[in-house]
Amino acid sequence: MSDTLDRQNYNLRDEIKAYWSERAATFDLSPGHEIFSEEERTAWHRLLLRHLGPGDGRAALDLASGTGVISHLLDDLGFRVQGLDWAEPMLERAREKARKRGRAIRFGLGDAENTMEPDGHYDVVVNRHLVWTLIDPAAAFAEWLRVLKPGGTVLIVDGDFVNTSALERLFSKLSAWGQRLGFLTAETPTGTLQMMATHRSILSRVHFSAGARADDVANLLGKAGFVDIEIDRDLREIHRTQARNWNFFKGLARKCQHRYAIRARKP
């Protein structure tokens, strides 16, 4: 009976948390997750400065902070950073990374859809590759509005990881073909076939199961009460630096994807 009740109580949120807990061990091996060059770091700095300006000691909340990649970029720019993630293995790696680099970044356990952070506390809220996983983005965006100070900024970096163009599919097939034949550099394995199947299952059941398109995300931000919403689709500099860590066709496939940054302001 206990096992039956446990399975009944194990919901989609639990599955997402368990998936990212398992992914923590290999998360930083993936280009596009961790940063592998100073050129890429500089490209990220430019994106953050373009939308947030310099830190100047302002308070930043990095949601779904994972191993702390974005937190470190914000710290580079002079923000006082609080990272929040609900996967303990991710937090363990984030704290160890910050310790080794001598960074005064705080990392805590928390849910991006219900942060438990105080009202009007942060100047900026930032997240990368979080929105596509949200079960209730309307509630999440209302929560992010709540924790921001008046005039504060949210910056979302995300993409549509469901819909692919014919060109992207072609480049992906050429990449896979070249790897199988040994003509192209093989990608570093970052998960088992079972984990890949779990990822697909989760993606099929979240709110943006049909793909997190920029206009749809921006529309929900507006409904939550954000203003001055701007969609930035020019992430080419970041993608160009990341592509150096992949084979030629994998890099071209990345450039074809629907990826974006969205900035919005709390009135």
Side-chain angles (χ1 to χ4, degrees):
M1 176 68 79
S2 177
D3 287 345
T4 300
L5 288 174
D6 287 344
R7 286 194 296 271
Q8 290 174 345
N9 292 328
Y10 192 80
N11 59 26
L12 180 55
R13 293 177 189 275
D14 295 318
E15 289 186 51
I16 295 171
K17 182 175 181 178
Y19 172 81
W20 288 112
S21 294
E22 190 173 359
R23 282 287 280 112
T26 57
F27 187 85
D28 282 344
L29 298 178
S30 300
H33 288 171
E34 181 56 285
I35 292 172
F36 289 88
S37 70
E38 287 307 309
E39 289 80 9
E40 183 184 352
R41 190 177 309 281
T42 297
W44 277 105
H45 286 160
R46 286 175 178 156
L47 176 73
L48 295 172
L49 286 169
R50 185 158 75 238
H51 293 294
L52 302 175
D56 293 333
R58 291 183 292 151
L61 179 63
D62 178 16
L63 290 171
S65 52
T67 62
V69 177
I70 300 301
S71 294
H72 282 259
L73 292 170
L74 292 167
D75 186 67
D76 291 342
L77 298 177
F79 287 94
R80 289 185 294 109
V81 186
Q82 171 70 60
L84 205 66
D85 203 284
W86 65 355
E88 277 287 7
M90 287 287 192
L91 292 170
E92 290 169 7
R93 284 161 176 79
R95 290 170 182 142
E96 179 63 12
K97 188 188 296 185
R99 186 191 66 78
K100 287 181 177 179
R101 296 180 181 177
R103 302 297 186 98
I105 304 171
R106 296 171 298 154
F107 291 99
L109 185 67
D111 181 353
E113 295 187 17
N114 183 23
T115 67
M116 305 300 288
E117 294 293 308
D119 292 353
H121 185 72
Y122 291 98
D123 296 284
V124 302
V125 170
V126 181
N127 55 80
R128 179 185 67 165
H129 302 168
L130 164 64
V131 166
W132 74 267
T133 72
L134 292 173
I135 297 170
D136 188 351
F141 295 168
E143 173 72 355
W144 305 351
L145 189 78
R146 180 187 68 79
V147 302
L148 277 170
K149 297 176 182 177
T153 303
V154 63
L155 179 64
I156 293 167
V157 180
D158 224 287
D160 178 356
F161 306 121
V162 176
N163 301 291
T164 56
S165 67
L167 199 56
E168 181 187 346
R169 291 193 295 273
L170 173 62
F171 289 143
S172 295
K173 288 179 181 178
L174 290 171
S175 174
W177 176 78
Q179 290 178 66
R180 283 197 302 271
L181 295 180
F183 297 145
L184 297 175
T185 304
E187 295 178 44
T188 303
T190 56
T192 64
L193 291 175
Q194 179 59 48
M195 289 176 66
M196 293 170 63
T198 300
H199 181 277
R200 289 193 295 270
S201 174
I202 289 171
L203 183 53
S204 71
R205 290 175 288 149
V206 293
H207 177 88
F208 290 111
S209 59
R213 307 298 292 183
D215 289 337
D216 295 334
V217 175
N219 184 52
L220 284 176
L221 285 168
K223 289 181 179 179
F226 284 96
V227 298
D228 298 336
I229 301 167
E230 177 184 334
I231 299 172
D232 182 355
R233 293 182 172 87
D234 184 7
L235 305 187
R236 289 175 294 179
E237 184 181 10
I238 292 172
H239 295 160
R240 185 169 58 250
T241 60
Q242 291 174 341
R244 296 169 188 167
N245 301 290
W246 291 309
N247 67 59
F248 177 71
F249 291 113
K250 173 73 172 180
L252 289 177
R254 169 57 64 95
K255 292 177 182 178
C256 295
Q257 293 174 339
H258 178 76
R259 292 174 178 256
Y260 50 83
I262 302 177
R263 182 188 67 203
R265 184 175 60 83
K266 178 176 179 175

